Amino acid sequence: MMKRAAWPIASAVLLGYPLIFSTPFQQRLGALILLYAIGASAWNIVGGYAGLISVGHAVFFGCGAYGALASYQYLGLPPIGGLPIGVAASIGIAAIVGIPTLRLSGHYFSMATIAVAELVRLVVSNSEWLGGAQGLSGPPVPRTLLDLSFVSALPYYYVFLGVLAAMLALTRQMERSRIGYYLRAIHDSERAARTLGVPVSRYKLYAYMMSAALTAVAGALYAVMFGFVDPESGLGILISIKMLIMAALGGAGLLLGPLAGAVILVPLEEFSNSLLGGVGAGVTFLVYGAIIVVIARLQPGGLLRPIPGALRKRSARAKS
Amino acid sequence: MNPTGLARLLAAAAFGLAVTGAAFAQSVKVGAIYPLSGVAASVGVYAKAAIEVATDIVNNDHPELGDLPLAKGAGLTGLGGAKLEVVFADNQGTPAAGQNQAIRLITEEKVVAINGAYQSGITLTASAAAERYGIPFLTGDSVAANLTERGFKWFFRTTPIASDFARIYMEFLKDMKAKGARIDSIAIVHENTEYGTSVASVVTSTFKANGLNITQNIPYSANATDVQSQVLQLKDKKPDVLIFVSYTADAILYAKTMKSLDYKPPIMIADDAGFSDPSFVAAVGNIVQGVFNRSSWSVGAPGTKTYLVNDMYKKKSGVDLDDTTARIMQGFMVLVDAINRAGSTEPAKIQAALRATDLKPSQLIMGFKGVKFDEKGQNVLASALVIQLQNGVNYVPVWPKDQAAAEPVLVYKGW
């Protein structure tokens, strides 16, 4: 009953948010929440469902961001026109990186993804064509509507909401189809899944490539909104970690987990920076970090996972 | 209601408006976006101190500071003595946070202008937001060339940029050649992130265009823990002139390695940054005697306005102003002077006042030839001096001649 009511309520809240909280900063905050939710949801496919903890998703985010701005820089396209280029590049990289690294298990996979991401960041930092250490920028002033450069955050909000909805619908579809079952089987026990005839390597790679492509979408949208990317802001390890933390905090492997994580963390970060940033000396991050620790301590499975956890406890008690 | 009653009512309403108007003029908010956390946090914290000193100069009477705009009298005299209020924001070292904070300052805090943001990439995104909202943005410190090439109407920059430095080095070297120095082969050693690569490439192209030969180009990582191979390459080729573009820790490492490998170039030039850092001078100043550097800042003799400003700053932060923090303070002062001349908190009037800026050297703390913006918003009178580390641990201005305090000593002494 509650579950059935949750969807319309969530949709109504998301659609109505910028009309109720209508100051420019609040609308922008809403757009940022959705943008980070898109990135974290993309990570969730491989990190949550398949249980492969990637700490190098910044590579794919960077593909999207660099694809968008490079296609403006060299082809004169509106940045969003570079989206297919970024997505194609991310799928290509995912295939090249995935085939050897997906064979690694547990934290060895995580370490390999960090190494690849840092490698790509260094290569891009030294590649003049991609702006080197100075980065690439988008059109300084919008030329046409297609440049998607708006003063108000409202258009961004609804564009991001549409993308997020489409992405979640796709993920939901995936959850219920063969690949979804396979991924969960792999997550629970890779050896058992293999014994049952699941083509483990192939499906891990599919999930990895799908996650990469969707992460590139997030990167391209970021580049369109901010109009600038450099190696640190497009490929830095903090980006990978943010995606991971948001998904994990909200509930990795749950459809709405990443969105829940973003709803908590993005406002927390923006408000703590706005209220405390001017004080200096990083008070912001102390507060931010402390709250993450508190949530992780009280709700280790993610915010959206209280009910299954409680059930397990109850059944454990019943057995004893 | 009879006509006199109506007139009285209108008069009362007008009076009420005038009173609220005056109440609004009590303080004028200006935003300042700097890296108060992240890897560049130390610069941001010093920038904040510098801006707080500048705010003190504006808000309190400082007759001892002479021609410095707004030093005499308290508050913004052009706005009926309104107090200046600075709202600081942390850019966290990311372009996204910089832009978010710019929008917050404009829409929530209602600042009339913004100053910032140190890292060029962040100045780029933050000023793009200000441009869209039609709020003046002035940077006193970001040097990336593309910032003023965007066709922006609300963006202004007071600092000299890489092409200015390159021209100064080139003219200085040509002058030294006229005095008998050899400058046939020039080596440039630079750290390999944005700062080092961009300055090195501008220096290289400017030198080439003016017939000076860059014969060796050595990029390195500022995190390096060993630079022996780089120094040995230099020792092998023996360039006449060696130019460093370095941060602090790596500059110290080079100074020590050059001493241990006993290598001294005939002329050594360093591009500000690491070689100007007070901690560099304290650590290895005695083994890089005679290095040339550039600066637009000089503390000056006791009693001068720069000396007094430095004194105020030192009381607040515990260190002397260096070229970077002084440029930040100067940029902020130029912005506040424009707001004062505009006599209004309307962004368009402040923009017009910035365009009309014409400050003379006596009105500045920096050694610029003045402040005057071209149509791109770049200060065309920005300049720098060549300074040299002489007699221990003090940099003294040595070039150009009319601003020199001592003669340039040729032949690098080292230790």
Side-chain angles (χ1 to χ4, degrees), chain B residues 82-135:
Chain B
K83 291 279 184 234
L84 174 66
E85 186 188 339
V86 185
V87 186
F88 287 97
D90 179 8
N91 72 28
Q92 300 184 323
T94 75
Q99 191 175 80
N100 293 342
Q101 290 301 311
I103 289 172
R104 180 180 70 89
L105 291 175
I106 294 166
T107 62
E108 304 271 297
E109 299 284 352
K110 314 276 183 220
V111 299
V112 300
I114 298 179
N115 174 247
Y118 188 60
Q119 297 99 326
S120 288
I122 303 179
T123 300
L124 192 126
T125 55
S127 61
E131 182 79 14
R132 290 181 195 167
Y133 278 94
I135 293 285

Side-chain angles (χ1 to χ4, degrees), chain B residues 216-275:
Chain B
Q216 237 178 325
N217 183 9
I218 306 178
Y220 69 91
S221 163
N223 304 326
T225 49
D226 180 82
V227 292
Q228 293 202 27
S229 72
Q230 285 87 343
V231 175
L232 287 173
Q233 281 180 57
L234 293 166
K235 208 174 168 177
D236 182 45
K237 289 272 172 61
K238 296 188 180 60
D240 297 327
V241 179
L242 171 57
I243 300 178
F244 274 111
V245 189
S246 306
Y247 285 124
T248 309
D250 43 328
I252 294 174
L253 188 59
Y254 268 106
K256 289 183 173 166
T257 309
M258 284 166 69
K259 179 163 190 280
S260 65
L261 293 176
D262 193 27
Y263 168 67
K264 291 180 198 176
I267 296 179
M268 184 158 119
I269 298 178
D271 183 72
D272 203 28
F275 282 78

